[in-house]
Amino acid sequence: MMTEHFIGIIALAAPVIQIAAMGFIGYPVARRRPGGMEKFKSSGFIWWIGTLAVIAVVGSIAQGESRAFHFPSLHEPSIVRILGGAASAFVVSVLIELVAERLFFGRRDDLARRKAAEKYEGALPVWARQGVNQIALLALVAVLEEYIFRSLALGSMWHIWGLPKSVAAGLVAVVFGISHWYYGFRQIAIKLIVGSALVWAALFGGWIAAALAHLALNVTLSIIASRRSECRNL
């Protein structure tokens, strides 16, 4: 039981673990290598995936029930709940992203929006800045994040630590928002709200429902960004 408690804490601490790993391992190594710092600046996604992957493997071993697709939901597992939860969370998340973008940047493709896009692309590995590679990377991140936050973290805080469902849900949504710290306060706020929709999907149909919604969201936003880039280059 203590191991399961520990895994829940580790899952919530994923953003801190990533920062620590980059600071205490990645940064010293990069400084000693020619051109290492330049590569280090765009290595955030790789460190994030590595952090999530390690936690996912350890968590799936220590907390076996978290692997069940319907976990942490208490509803009977069904394809209707999975697809219904995924579709609903996806639609809400897309609307949140588009409305927030309009509020922050307005209608015009101005300098602020371009700078935000450049910062996002700069955080990606060079090989994953466009096309199928980018979509594949974002899909992997979506699945790993949902397993970590919506299965391990939410499941642990609610079922093992015994926190009220609303408190556990709010805590996980906040940490999910904070995990996007690199992109600034605006993205933290947006992802907190999106994270709330994904928490609902997990409670309704299981973490796999949240993962499907998150995957569809990442792919959709990637396609939108690609279309805008093509239009600017015409």
Side-chain angles (χ1 to χ4, degrees):
M1 180 64 71
M2 289 303 298
T3 302
E4 293 181 340
H5 279 74
F6 186 67
I7 289 300
I9 298 288
I10 290 296
L12 281 177
V16 177
I17 295 173
Q18 178 209 11
I19 294 172
M22 291 183 71
F24 293 109
I25 301 175
Y27 182 73
V29 171
R31 288 191 62 185
R32 292 195 295 266
R33 293 181 177 178
M37 288 306 298
E38 190 63 30
K39 293 180 180 179
F40 177 74
K41 291 177 182 178
S42 62
S43 66
F45 255 81
I46 299 303
W47 283 98
W48 183 231
I49 290 175
T51 300
L52 295 176
V54 170
I55 296 174
V57 170
V58 175
S60 66
I61 295 172
Q63 193 173 309
E65 65 270 26
S66 67
R67 296 193 299 268
F69 287 160
H70 65 279
F71 191 79
S73 174
L74 294 180
H75 299 290
E76 285 295 320
S78 72
I79 192 66
V80 173
R81 280 193 169 274
I82 291 174
L83 295 182
S88 299
F90 166 67
V91 171
V92 171
S93 297
V94 168
L95 290 175
I96 291 169
E97 292 278 358
L98 295 180
V99 169
E101 183 184 48
R102 179 62 62 87
L103 290 175
F104 290 145
F105 299 112
R107 296 183 179 182
R108 294 183 297 109
D109 186 18
D110 57 13
L111 182 60
R113 178 177 288 168
R114 294 192 183 193
K115 285 185 176 179
E118 289 172 1
K119 185 171 185 178
Y120 167 74
E121 291 180 1
L124 294 172
V126 175
W127 54 267
R129 292 184 179 176
Q130 59 184 353
V132 177
N133 288 347
Q134 182 178 124
I135 291 176
L137 180 67
L138 295 179
L140 176 61
V141 169
V143 173
L144 286 174
E145 286 183 346
E146 291 314 307
Y147 179 65
I148 297 301
F149 290 115
R150 253 58 74 171
S151 184
L152 289 177
L154 179 59
S156 177
M157 293 302 104
W158 183 22
H159 296 313
I160 297 174
W161 281 86
L163 295 180
K165 182 168 64 173
S166 59
V167 174
L171 179 61
V172 170
V174 168
V175 173
F176 179 71
I178 293 173
S179 71
H180 295 81
W181 59 270
Y182 178 79
Y183 302 105
F185 178 76
R186 289 177 176 177
Q187 280 299 315
I188 290 177
I190 294 170
K191 292 306 186 286
L192 189 157
I193 301 172
V194 169
S196 299
L198 295 173
V199 164
W200 175 86
L203 294 174
F204 183 80
W207 75 268
I208 194 64
L212 291 172
H214 195 164
L215 191 157
L217 174 65
N218 281 359
V219 171
T220 299
L221 295 179
S222 177
I223 292 173
I224 291 174
S226 178
R227 293 289 184 271
R228 285 176 175 166
S229 179
E230 290 175 0
C231 290
R232 285 198 300 266
N233 296 328
L234 290 177

